[in-house]
Amino acid sequence: MDFSLTDDQELLRDTARNILARECPASLVRAHIDDPTVAEPLWSRLREYCGLGSGPAVDLCLFVEATGYVAAPGPFFATVALFAPILEAAESDLLEKVLAGEVSGTVAMAGLDGLWAANREPRKTFVPEADRVDRVVVVNSGPTVTVAERLPARLVRTVDHSRRLFDVETAAAVADAQAIAPDALDRAVQRATIALSAELVGTCRRLFDMSLSYAKERVQFDRPIGSFQAIQHKLADMALDLERAWAAVYYAAMALDAGDDERARATHVAKATAGEAARRIGKDAAQIHGGIGYTWEHDLHLFLRRAFASEAWLGNTDWHHDRLADLIV
Amino acid sequence: MHLAWGPEEEAFRAELVAFIAEYAPPEALVQRDFAGMGEPGEGTEIVPEWARRWQAILFDHGWMIPAYPPELGGRNATPIQTLVFLEELASRGILRSLHFPGYAIVAPSLLEFGNEEQKKLAPAAIRGDTIWCIGMSEPNAGSDLAGLQTRADLRDDHFVVNGQKVWTSYATIAQKCFCYVRTDPDAPKHRGISVLLIDVDTPGIDVRPLRHINGMAGFAEVFFTDVVVPRENLVGALNDGWRITQGSLAHERGGLWVEGVARLEHGVEGLITLARHFGRDGDPVVRREIAQMYSRAASLRALGYKGFTSFAQGSSAPEHSYMKLATSETGKRLYELGMEMQGAYGPVVDDERGYEDGRWIRSFFTSFANTIAGGSSEIQRNIIAQRVLGLPRS
Ligand SMILES: Cc1cc2nc3c(=O)[nH]c(=O)nc-3n(C[C@H](O)[C@H](O)[C@H](O)COP(=O)(O)OP(=O)(O)OC[C@H]3O[C@@H](n4cnc5c(N)ncnc54)[C@H](O)[C@@H]3O)c2cc1C
């Protein structure tokens, strides 16, 4: 197992970090709370990276780790990590345009229980960005897929304003449902789950970095709070959880890319490990920041919100552990 | 990034597998939950005869430390080949040796810091012909190793050593001790330390065995009273011993994670069998906890490989401290879980009534050593915070 990045991958990662640092400051994430259209310039900039919707999952992860770091709003994740893989699994002609950045899209799959398994329910839930994408692909049991233009959508408010989730009424979109291989659908959902885990690791890294620098700056009792062992040990445990999650995510991405038998287990491990990291890092980040971290003015909550919402989406930590148990016990 | 090793590494593995099939004694093939740290062999013997023979065979065939040249029990293996070697042994639960100080700490330290005469001691340390113990800890110097007080006064051509070591693993069977002593009591504490090679049968040395918490023979107290040690047994420069502690701790940590992770994975398999045996495998809480342990082990394996990737590329990797901390703490929880799942039978070690000879409670107790020895979990967190994250010293 070799974790080294190729020169191209390093370039991709650095490019992603640079673009997102420039184009997606915390002020944008904040402005997006009241006005989702402010994310449009960012989306125009990210369109050229929609090619990541196909090809190595490792590359996709490197990029979305950077979008997670800045809690990027907009349809990028839904398009490259959900929509494109499902189109690819369904061998849809539309894929080419999506990869070229010409068409954005999202996926309506989860039923009322919020689980990403094919079902017959006409109302799908937790559909990201359903009101601002060009297409919605509906997945029903069979499994089948249908690509629709616009479907009635209602915002389901969560604590996370940076990723907007919707209920979507899909009754109108069953007309030309097309069968899709269950294996291919599994793979697409695995790819999305691994990508979300990578994105979540990015968000965790942001929370960690903010906490570490605050611990070095903030002085109490005439010394930086980062010199107190209670704070040091929290940060050491946070760092361990973060590094462990990073490794689990890229292991899963490699397993998926290699078509390895491990990939189902590795996907559950990735999301569960990233989820555990998110919970610990989220709580301790808030603790380390003291009162300032409890304010609306401080940016910490923007990332806390994204982290806890990502932990719950596409199967939360417990759910992934339980599915893993089904495979191993 | 890629998952699989190349054909060259796999050919290397195939050679190793063939060697194991031909030479490994049946006793070496028994998966153990825990190893090193004074884990005795069968019965009360700390290093039984089969283990001595097995270590010599590994050496003679160049499989003891593959990265070394043949005269040091190796075959000039690359770092990746070494990893393949460690992972193959670990996944089969095979130990190279039941006494790690000689091959894992003393030999590398002698090769790095010793003079030509001292380097000649390395092959026997690696082959296991000489059994070594490490005299670092003292009653008043544990985590704070630099506080050690055992004195060595230089008189012409020899040192005179007085003091006490404690928790010294293998001292009861060792021929030699790699011993940290204070040679300049007036210097700041890190600067007055030296290393001496001391024959354990030198007059004035008194070794008193201490039993481990698990009841087995293991470490010892070692008392030094006017022990005369020839000057040429000084390793490196006088008062420069602290540098050697840093080296030897690094050697000790090198490949330990591979074994640590393999033991966790073996433990998870054991938990699944245990859950079935006690009819707990349908219990959602038990199932989730097993999956959590599986996730921990799998993610730690990935993290270990990630650290290895940077190590093989020549950068020092902070993953050592992460791996030491996480494998030891996870192991403790894993064995505790196995004990809990047995309900009233958790603490039973009775031959007839106990499950697997009390494996879980015994391993649980034994696992306490791993979060203490070789730098406790708290010390690992200090190291991560201060050396990796750059936080100020408290
Ligand atoms: C099975 C076993 C085998 C061993 N074999 C050997 C051997 O062969 N040779 C040898 O020299 N030694 C050996 N040791 C000793 C081992 O290295 C020490 O036990 C270890 O360094 C801890 O020292 P201590 O026992 O004095 O505990 P202490 O250092 O007194 O620690 C007690 C507690 O205080 C905590 N603590 C100490 N300092 C700090 C700090 N700065 N911040 C936060 N918490 C702190 C520790 O984490 C621990 O929880 C062995 C130990 C064991 C258990």
Side-chain angles (χ1 to χ4, degrees):
Chain A
M1 203 187 304
D2 180 358
F3 278 91
S4 52
L5 298 181
T6 62
D7 291 347
D8 284 347
Q9 286 172 332
E10 278 186 23
L11 183 67
L12 177 69
R13 183 196 57 193
D14 296 345
T15 309
R17 284 183 187 165
N18 291 336
I19 293 177
L20 287 151
R22 212 172 40 235
E23 311 275 337
C24 187
S27 54
L28 177 75
V29 182
R30 205 174 265 280
H32 177 266
I33 297 173
D34 296 320
D35 179 9
T37 62
V38 300
E40 276 164 22
L42 174 65
W43 167 237
S44 317
R45 189 71 182 80
L46 295 182
R47 273 178 193 272
E48 66 175 288
Y49 293 95
C50 284
L52 293 166
S54 176
V58 168
D59 293 7
L60 172 62
C61 287
L62 288 168
F63 202 96
V64 295
E65 203 188 321
T67 60
Y69 192 83
V70 298
F76 181 73
F77 185 89
T79 303
V80 293
L82 276 170
F83 186 56
I86 298 273
L87 291 185
E88 186 161 32
E91 296 171 18
S92 161
D93 294 339
L94 188 60
L95 179 66
E96 207 174 310
K97 283 200 164 128
V98 174
L99 298 181
E102 292 163 24
V103 174
S104 65
T106 190
V107 176
M109 180 164 170
L112 253 190
D113 60 7
L115 299 176
W116 286 70
N119 57 71
R120 286 183 201 290
E121 296 173 42
R123 174 184 290 173
K124 306 295 187 195
T125 63
F126 299 103
V127 183
E129 312 301 338
D131 68 334
R132 65 173 155 198
V133 290
D134 302 320
R135 299 279 194 286
V136 180
V137 57
V138 181
V139 181
N140 276 312
S141 44
T144 64
V145 297
T146 312
V147 180
E149 293 223 345
R150 269 283 144 120
L151 292 171
R154 177 190 159 271
L155 180 71
V156 177
R157 292 169 52 228
T158 73
V159 289
D160 178 23
H161 303 280
S162 67
R163 177 155 32 230
R164 295 147 66 249
L165 300 176
F166 292 81
D167 278 349
V168 172
E169 303 301 335
T170 66
V174 286
D176 30 40
Q178 176 202 334
I180 173 175
D183 269 7
L185 179 61
D186 281 350
R187 262 186 73 93
V189 173
Q190 283 163 359
R191 185 178 168 96
T193 307
I194 295 166
L196 179 62
S197 310
E199 208 218 49
L200 179 52
V201 165
T203 310
C204 288
R205 194 177 297 283
R206 178 62 167 270
L207 289 166
F208 176 77
D209 285 354
M210 291 173 86
S211 307
L212 181 61
S213 44
Y214 191 71
K216 289 178 181 176
E217 279 160 24
R218 170 71 177 166
V219 172
Q220 285 294 280
F221 300 96
D222 305 319
R223 45 198 162 138
I225 58 166
S227 66
F228 299 124
Q229 197 170 58
I231 301 289
Q232 291 194 349
H233 285 195
K234 270 197 168 44
L235 284 161
D237 286 333
M238 291 159 78
L240 168 59
D241 272 14
L242 179 64
E243 295 307 326
R244 196 217 308 263
W246 187 95
V249 166
Y250 285 88
Y251 172 69
M254 283 190 267
L256 188 75
D257 287 342
D260 195 271
D261 292 342
E262 274 289 309
R263 64 173 197 268
R265 280 183 291 237
T267 303
H268 294 308
V269 170
K271 183 65 171 39
T273 307
E276 281 186 342
R279 290 209 198 144
R280 180 201 290 271
I281 293 171
K283 284 185 286 192
D284 285 349
Q287 184 66 15
I288 289 170
H289 277 80
I292 192 76
Y294 196 72
T295 63
W296 184 262
E297 279 67 31
H298 196 280
D299 289 336
L300 190 74
H301 72 93
L302 301 174
F303 305 99
L304 280 177
R305 288 164 184 274
R306 175 78 157 228
F308 284 107
S310 296
E311 192 271 333
W313 193 40
L314 298 187
N316 76 355
T317 305
D318 285 347
W319 186 83
H320 280 284
H321 277 141
D322 292 346
R323 296 297 73 73
L324 177 61
D326 293 342
L327 298 178
I328 62 170
V329 181
Chain B
M1 285 197 189
H2 51 85
L3 213 52
W5 298 123
E8 271 174 49
E9 280 78 30
E10 291 311 323
F12 182 86
R13 189 194 304 276
E15 215 182 317
L16 171 63
V17 170
F19 165 79
I20 292 170
E22 188 166 352
Y23 292 100
E27 297 93 331
L29 298 171
V30 181
Q31 256 291 9
R32 287 182 168 74
D33 290 331
F34 39 82
M37 299 306 168
E39 149 72 346
E42 313 306 325
T44 51
E45 233 181 332
I46 296 177
V47 183
E49 190 47 36
W50 68 262
R52 290 177 196 252
R53 255 183 284 124
W54 169 228
Q55 186 166 348
I57 292 172
L58 282 159
F59 184 99
D60 296 344
H61 289 79
W63 286 117
M64 189 54 207
I65 303 185
Y68 282 165
E71 60 275 21
L72 292 170
R75 47 181 61 222
N76 295 311
T78 63
I80 293 184
Q81 288 174 333
T82 297
L83 185 59
V84 168
F85 167 81
L86 291 172
E87 81 187 0
E88 193 59 37
L89 288 194
S91 71
R92 293 160 181 263
I94 298 178
L95 294 175
R96 277 176 284 175
S97 166
L98 291 184
H99 53 113
F100 71 94
Y103 79 86
I105 300 177
V106 176
S109 302
L110 290 176
L111 294 168
E112 191 174 345
F113 301 102
N115 60 31
E116 289 313 309
E117 281 309 303
Q118 291 164 348
K119 286 192 169 82
K120 289 183 189 156
L121 300 171
I126 300 168
R127 198 168 182 271
D129 299 336
T130 314
I131 294 184
W132 285 83
C133 60
I134 311 270
M136 295 178 115
S137 306
E138 298 181 1
N140 292 314
S143 301
D144 184 13
L145 176 63
L148 62 91
Q149 290 157 1
T150 294
R151 286 275 298 263
D153 298 322
L154 184 56
R155 310 245 170 86
D156 309 322
D157 63 343
H158 65 270
F159 291 93
V160 177
V161 181
N162 280 287
Q164 183 197 343
K165 295 291 171 183
V166 71
W167 326 129
T168 321
S169 302
Y170 309 99
T172 51
I173 57 165
Q175 286 95 47
K176 286 178 183 290
C177 180
F178 193 84
C179 195
Y180 289 82
V181 291
R182 183 153 304 281
T183 38
D184 184 351
D186 302 323
K189 64 182 187 178
H190 291 84
R191 297 221 195 98
I193 295 171
S194 303
V195 172
L196 298 180
L197 308 178
I198 304 180
D199 288 334
V200 179
D201 62 4
T202 314
I205 296 182
D206 182 16
V207 178
R208 299 185 197 159
L210 292 168
R211 282 169 88 185
H212 283 174
I213 191 176
N214 57 17
M216 291 167 165
F219 42 30
E221 298 175 285
V222 184
F223 295 87
F224 298 83
T225 315
D226 294 331
V227 175
V228 173
V229 179
R231 183 176 184 154
E232 61 262 28
N233 288 15
L234 172 70
V235 181
L238 192 67
N239 297 326
D240 199 23
W242 187 251
R243 214 156 60 94
I244 303 180
T245 61
Q246 301 301 310
S248 64
L249 288 173
H251 295 310
E252 184 180 353
R253 289 190 286 249
L256 278 183
W257 69 267
V258 184
E259 286 170 16
V261 167
R263 265 197 305 274
L264 293 180
E265 290 169 342
H266 177 59
V268 172
E269 282 169 29
L271 275 184
I272 294 169
T273 313
L274 174 69
R276 292 200 183 117
H277 180 90
F278 282 86
R280 305 290 305 275
D281 54 324
D283 180 332
V285 175
V286 166
R287 293 171 67 83
R288 186 175 289 174
E289 281 186 300
I290 292 175
Q292 265 164 2
M293 286 296 127
Y294 179 99
S295 277
R296 295 264 152 87
S299 57
L300 286 174
R301 174 171 289 278
L303 181 57
Y305 279 98
K306 188 213 162 203
F308 174 81
T309 302
S310 1
F311 167 75
Q313 290 170 341
S315 49
S316 76
E319 282 79 6
H320 284 318
S321 288
Y322 292 133
M323 296 302 288
K324 164 75 167 75
L325 172 61
T327 50
S328 60
E329 293 291 343
T330 306
K332 211 156 45 169
R333 176 65 193 135
L334 189 143
Y335 299 123
E336 184 182 22
L337 198 57
M339 182 181 72
E340 277 170 15
M341 272 157 54
Q342 299 177 47
Y345 282 83
V348 176
V349 293
D350 184 272
D351 284 353
E352 261 175 54
R353 306 292 306 284
Y355 175 73
E356 290 186 294
D357 263 350
R359 165 186 172 190
W360 295 89
I361 177 90
R362 284 186 210 272
S363 298
F364 178 54
F365 274 16
T366 304
S367 72
F368 292 2
N370 298 336
T371 55
I372 298 169
S376 69
S377 292
E378 290 73 28
I379 296 298
Q380 299 306 327
R381 290 189 180 97
N382 292 349
I383 291 174
I384 294 167
Q386 290 163 19
R387 297 201 203 143
V388 182
L389 305 180
L391 288 163
R393 292 183 145 271
S394 34

